[in-house]
Every structure is written in structure tokens, then in C-alpha cells.
Amino acid sequence: METYTAVTNAVGGSLGLSALVATIPLLTFFVMLLGVKARAHWSALVALAASILVAVLGFHMPADLAGLSAIRGGIYGLVICWVILGAIWFYQITVLSGRFEDLRRVFDRLGGGDLRIQAILIAFCFGGLLEALAGFGAPVAITATMILSLGVKPLKAAVTVLIANTAPVAFGAVAVPITTAGDVGGKDPHVIATIVGHQAPFLAMLVPLILLVILDGMQGLKDAWLPALVIGVSFAIAQWVTAATPAFNLTDVVACIVSMGVAVIFLRFWKPRGVAGVRARYGLPAQAEEKEALPAVRVWMALLPYVIVVAIFGVANLHAGLKAWLKGFVIKIDIQALSSRLVTADGKPVKDAVYNFAWMSNPGTLLIISGLVVAVIYFFFNEKGRYAFKFPAIFTEFGSVVYRMRWSILTIASVLALAYVMNFSGQTIAMGTYLAGLGTVYAFLAPALGWIGTAVTGSDTSANALFSKLQVSAAENLQHAGIHGATPELMLAANTTGGVVGKMISPQSLAIAATSVDMEGKESDILKAVLPWSFGMLLVVCVLVFLQTNILSFLVP
């Protein structure tokens, strides 16, 4: 049967023309989202159709191979959705149990009555924990309502949670963006995670200080810069260290728990300043209203789910024997008509055509196991009257999560299908080869691709699915041109970290934030407030990545 090999000059024998034609699917996606204002799943499906047409008519790929490439990508998209479903379901167990309200009250009692520190702990630390486990809008929605209850004004609450949500995004949903970058780009996700762990912490250190300025201007920075810096630095150190371990998908979980623990210890000795002043500026009573006592056992039970998930992920990733055993449970997905006919220039089969799904070691499965353990504990240690937890409800809830996520599942599967059609047909390679002609300028601008992709799609995972192959292709060409520091892994990390600072301006994030603080229809006001911060952080990432290609090359493994 006819084989197919991707080439970079398929359109008219010209690299430039081929690269230009290859942008059609991406432009279609962006125009559908921003111009036509279509829903994300419709935009992805239309862009997928465009990518198949470009593959067949422009890059001369057999139509059946283009269709099978889309199926291959869609299958991987569903695997990503399995992780997301497991994460959201795990969080929902804490809500069903009634223990989440206790967790919310734990934050109310921290900070010595200083609502600025309380807001940082909720938006940055707890929001980061939610991002680490669930992501996809859940942290913004949940923490925004919690901060509103402190007395923070709606616009400030929305801006606070959006900016706080930047630091943990790269490792969100147990590092799905990074594993996606590794799978689509064909590189080791552990190496990518390590490099991201040498980028994202620089943002993490700054975010709590920025939140102080948003919440209370320069006076807030003057009053509470020290605890904010302690929270940011402890988060950054934990993120840096954990990202370099085999358990990198727990990076944000560990970083958030460490920063919260350090904050609790520090706040036992630090006396808040200007508390009455900030409460007066917010029109609140001089002291917060006292609530009922919160016994230590209820605090422990509220924190228990996160202890369990860290323990299960830690053992599964760090115990060599167990890790190997779990990886032995593999479902091999081999579409023969695709894997036997898709070949490289030297005649070898394209390795990405076959997918080996290690389902037992998959983060989604580990989250399901963690959720079941938590549910069993909550069922047997159940205070009647206060926590009416019914074990069968968790299975009904999983179905509810699948139903609520149905359009997101379709979107993610379609975006991955689009990415694989573009990758296998040569569209992505053509764009990457052309962009590499920019030389060192490209090394500086590489994070901007992730920023644009996440700003439009609302997902760092989707941005990596779209641009990972392009980043790898560009990096390989830059290395051939003598720019040896621009490794494919660094460019994949750049795409991921660039996407981190683009999420706050995505239409989906803005809509979620606006809805959560009762500002529907005023998304433009929120955008105006966060856009300068997004640009500023992007510039920091661009400079950092550029320096990592030369002066700071020791930060790249």
C-alpha cells in the first residue's frame, strides 16, 4: 500500500509557501473562536476539517491517512480527558463529604485577620492545589467565591484569582500540559518538567507580591511584603526541587502544601500590620466575626484527601518495583493502516503512530484510586448529622462529571486530532523549519506561541498539543544553524511556561471569573486589569528562556 513521508516544501516546492499554507488550520481555529465567537468544540472541529483539507490538497497526504491521523490524535485526547475527569471527580468527593466547607474555614482563621494574607493563601496556595488536581477553570471559580466572602470587591477578587492561577498552570491537572508536550513533541516529559521547574519558580516568587498590590496597593505591599515573600519563595523552592524528581506530576501539590505549611508556621510569629486600615478601606468591621470552633479532628479530615493523593502518587512514582509493575499494564493501540504506511525520510515507521496506554500508572487512574480511598475513609469516619456522606453517591457523581465535561472532552479530543493531522502531514514541521530562520530572535519569542495558544484556547494542554511539534522542529533547525543552547526540550518548556501567563487573559478564564464574582458582561473590565500583568510576565519568561540558551545554559539539563 502507498506510504507517506512528510516533507517541508510540499506546496509548490517552496518552504515559505508550505509554512504559509500550514497556518490555515490554526488561523481557522482562532478566527472561529475570536471572530465568529463560536464555541470551543465547534472551533476545534472546523479547524480539524481545515487541517485534513490542507493535508490532502496541500501536502498530498492520502485522505485515509489524514483521517486515521485524526483518530490517533483523538485517542490521545481521550486519555488526557481521563486524567481531567479523575481530578475533578476527586475534588467533588471532598465537596460531597461536606469537608470542603471545613477546609474553607481553615483559611478564614489563618493570617491573623489580615484579609490580604487570607486572600493570598486562598487564591495562591489553595487555588494552586486545585489547579494541581483539577484545573480547567475549577480553581478560579472556587477561590473567587471564597475571596468574595472575605469582603474583597468583585473586580479585585476576579483579578486576584486570575493572576494567582498563573504559577501552578504548567503542572496543573497532575502535569498534563507537560506530559502532553512530551508525547506530542516526542521528548522525555521528565526533562521538560525539570526545565519548567527552573522557569516557573521565578514567576511564583513574584505572584504573592503582585497580589498584595492588587488587593491593597503600595500600602499593602509595605505592610505585608514579608509573609507574601515567604509564601512565594517557599512555593518556588518546593516547585524547583519536586519538578526534577520522577514524581514531577505532583510538583504543584507538594509546592502548595509546603507553602501553606511554611505560612502557618511563619504566621505564628509574624504580627500583621495595618489590619484595621485595610478593613476600613474595604468598608468592613474592625474585626472579623467569630464563627463556631473548628476542632483539630475536623481540620485533619479536611486536609486528609491531599495527604492521601501525595502518598499514593509518591509511592507509585518513587518505588521502583511498584512503578515497573504498574507500567506493565499496557493497552497497545496500533492502527495498522497508519503505522505501516507512515514513514520517515529514511524509511522507518513514525514511532508516534502506535500508542501504548499504560493505564494503571496513568495519573487519572491514580486519582481514581485516591478518590476511592478517601471515600472509604469518609464513609466509615462519618459524623452523623454533620457529614451525611453516602458512598454510592461517588459513582453517580462520576457520571455527572462526565456529563458536565462533555463539551470539554470533545474540544480536547478535537484539538489533539488537529495537532496529529498537522504533525503527521508535515504542516507543523514546515512552520517550525521556516520560523527557525529567525535565528536567536526565535529563541526569545518561543514562549509567545504558548502564550497565544493558551490565551485563545484557555488551556496550556491545548497550546502544547498545537505547538509542541513546531517547537521541536524549530529547535532542531536552530541547533543545525549553530544555536546549540536552543534544545527541543527547552523550547517545549518555553511553550509551556509561556502558556502559563496567557491563561489569565483567555476568554474562558475571564468568563469563569466574571460569573463567579457576579460581573457577567463585564469581562472587558477584568481583561483591562489583567492584560498589563500578562504582558509583563510574558516578557520575563521570554528573557529567561533566551538567557537559558546561552548565559544560563546550566539551568537546562
Side-chain angles (χ1 to χ4, degrees):
M1 297 180 70
E2 181 185 5
T3 60
Y4 178 79
T5 300
V7 294
T8 58
N9 61 345
V11 183
S14 167
L15 172 61
L17 185 57
S18 298
L20 181 63
V21 171
T23 64
I24 291 175
L26 297 178
L27 291 175
T28 301
F29 187 41
F30 296 160
V31 168
M32 286 293 295
L33 270 176
L34 302 179
V36 180
K37 298 190 182 302
R39 296 283 297 276
H41 58 276
W42 285 118
S43 300
L45 286 170
V46 172
L48 171 59
S51 71
I52 292 174
L53 287 175
V54 170
V56 174
L57 301 179
F59 284 74
H60 314 298
M61 187 181 206
D64 61 333
L65 285 186
L68 292 173
S69 298
I71 293 173
R72 166 66 179 88
I75 289 171
Y76 181 59
L78 293 177
V79 172
I80 291 175
C81 292
W82 173 244
V83 180
I84 298 165
L85 290 172
I88 296 176
W89 177 74
F90 178 85
Y91 160 72
Q92 284 298 120
I93 290 176
T94 68
V95 176
L96 285 172
S97 68
R99 303 283 182 177
F100 180 79
E101 177 60 21
D102 283 348
L103 185 62
R104 188 187 67 79
R105 290 185 54 207
V106 170
F107 289 103
D108 285 347
R109 290 169 177 261
L110 294 174
D114 191 331
L115 68 81
R116 298 165 299 193
I117 300 303
Q118 290 172 337
I120 290 173
L121 289 172
I122 292 170
F124 183 73
C125 297
F126 183 58
L129 193 57
L130 292 176
E131 180 67 35
L133 295 174
F136 292 87
V140 170
I142 294 165
T143 57
T145 57
M146 293 172 69
I147 289 176
L148 272 180
S149 70
L150 296 176
V152 177
K153 304 299 182 184
L155 180 59
K156 287 188 176 182
V159 175
T160 296
V161 297
L162 286 171
I163 293 179
N165 193 230
T166 57
V169 166
F171 295 94
V174 285
V176 165
I178 289 173
T179 54
T180 300
D183 286 338
V184 176
K187 301 298 176 182
D188 185 355
H190 185 194
V191 177
I192 301 168
T194 302
I195 300 173
V196 173
H198 293 165
Q199 296 170 344
F202 290 99
L203 296 176
M205 288 189 293
L206 298 175
V207 168
L209 298 171
I210 294 172
L211 298 183
L212 277 180
V213 174
I214 292 166
L215 289 162
D216 197 30
M218 295 308 296
Q219 185 61 48
L221 191 61
K222 180 180 178 181
D223 288 342
W225 67 269
L226 184 55
L229 187 63
V230 167
I231 292 169
V233 169
S234 60
F235 183 99
I237 292 173
Q239 196 177 49
W240 183 293
V241 173
T242 312
T245 70
F248 66 86
N249 45 12
L250 280 182
T251 294
D252 281 345
V253 176
V254 173
C256 291
I257 291 175
V258 167
S259 62
M260 281 192 284
V262 169
V264 169
I265 296 171
F266 180 81
L267 292 171
R268 285 183 174 272
F269 303 96
W270 178 80
K271 300 297 182 183
R273 295 182 298 180
V275 174
V278 68
R279 293 187 68 84
R281 287 190 287 278
Y282 274 93
L284 301 172
Q287 290 185 340
E289 182 181 347
E290 285 292 328
K291 298 181 180 179
E292 65 171 317
L294 191 61
V297 65
R298 284 170 56 186
V299 173
W300 166 248
M301 291 297 281
L303 296 173
L304 182 63
Y306 307 100
V307 175
I308 288 174
V309 78
V310 169
I312 288 178
F313 271 81
V315 171
N317 284 281
L318 298 177
H319 189 284
L322 179 60
K323 183 177 181 179
W325 181 73
L326 291 173
K327 285 185 175 295
F329 294 86
V330 176
I331 298 175
K332 185 176 182 180
I333 302 173
D334 184 1
I335 306 173
Q336 283 288 327
L338 182 68
S339 60
S340 62
R341 296 168 56 198
L342 205 62
V343 297
T344 61
D346 56 3
K348 297 180 180 179
V350 174
K351 63 178 181 179
D352 289 345
V354 178
Y355 181 52
N356 293 308
F357 177 33
W359 62 276
M360 272 297 288
S361 62
N362 183 270
T365 305
L366 295 179
L367 282 167
I368 295 293
I369 294 171
S370 302
L372 289 172
V373 172
V374 172
V376 169
I377 293 174
Y378 278 169
F379 179 75
F380 285 105
F381 295 90
N382 189 6
E383 297 178 33
K384 303 298 182 183
R386 180 181 292 275
Y387 305 108
F389 183 68
K390 297 179 180 179
F391 193 83
I394 67 172
F395 302 106
T396 305
E397 184 60 28
F398 190 84
S400 299
V401 171
V402 173
Y403 181 77
R404 291 199 305 272
M405 285 286 295
R406 64 193 185 281
W407 299 123
S408 296
I409 292 171
L410 178 58
T411 301
I412 293 168
S414 300
V415 168
L416 267 295
L418 161 68
Y420 270 74
V421 172
M422 293 186 66
N423 293 345
F424 286 165
S425 66
Q427 297 173 55
T428 305
I429 300 173
M431 286 190 291
T433 304
Y434 184 79
L435 287 172
L438 295 172
T440 55
V441 176
Y442 181 80
F444 178 81
L445 295 176
L449 279 179
W451 181 79
I452 293 170
T454 305
V456 173
T457 66
S459 165
D460 203 9
T461 299
S462 296
N464 281 349
L466 288 173
F467 296 127
S468 287
K469 202 69 175 182
L470 188 154
Q471 295 279 18
V472 169
S473 177
E476 289 172 347
N477 282 280
L478 285 172
Q479 289 186 310
H480 291 155
I483 307 174
H484 300 294
T487 66
E489 291 81 4
L490 175 58
M491 294 299 101
L492 288 171
N495 201 81
T496 304
T497 309
V500 162
V501 297
K503 190 166 185 178
M504 70 177 80
I505 62 171
S506 72
Q508 292 92 321
S509 296
L510 293 170
I512 292 170
T515 302
S516 301
V517 299
D518 296 322
M519 287 184 64
E520 292 95 336
K522 297 182 179 179
E523 288 85 356
S524 60
D525 293 340
I526 302 174
L527 176 61
K528 290 176 185 176
V530 298
L531 189 58
W533 295 108
S534 182
F535 273 131
M537 290 182 180
L538 175 62
L539 180 60
V540 170
V541 176
C542 288
V543 170
L544 178 59
V545 170
F546 178 73
L547 292 176
Q548 284 181 300
T549 64
N550 44 75
I551 299 174
L552 300 179
S553 58
F554 61 90
L555 294 180
V556 181

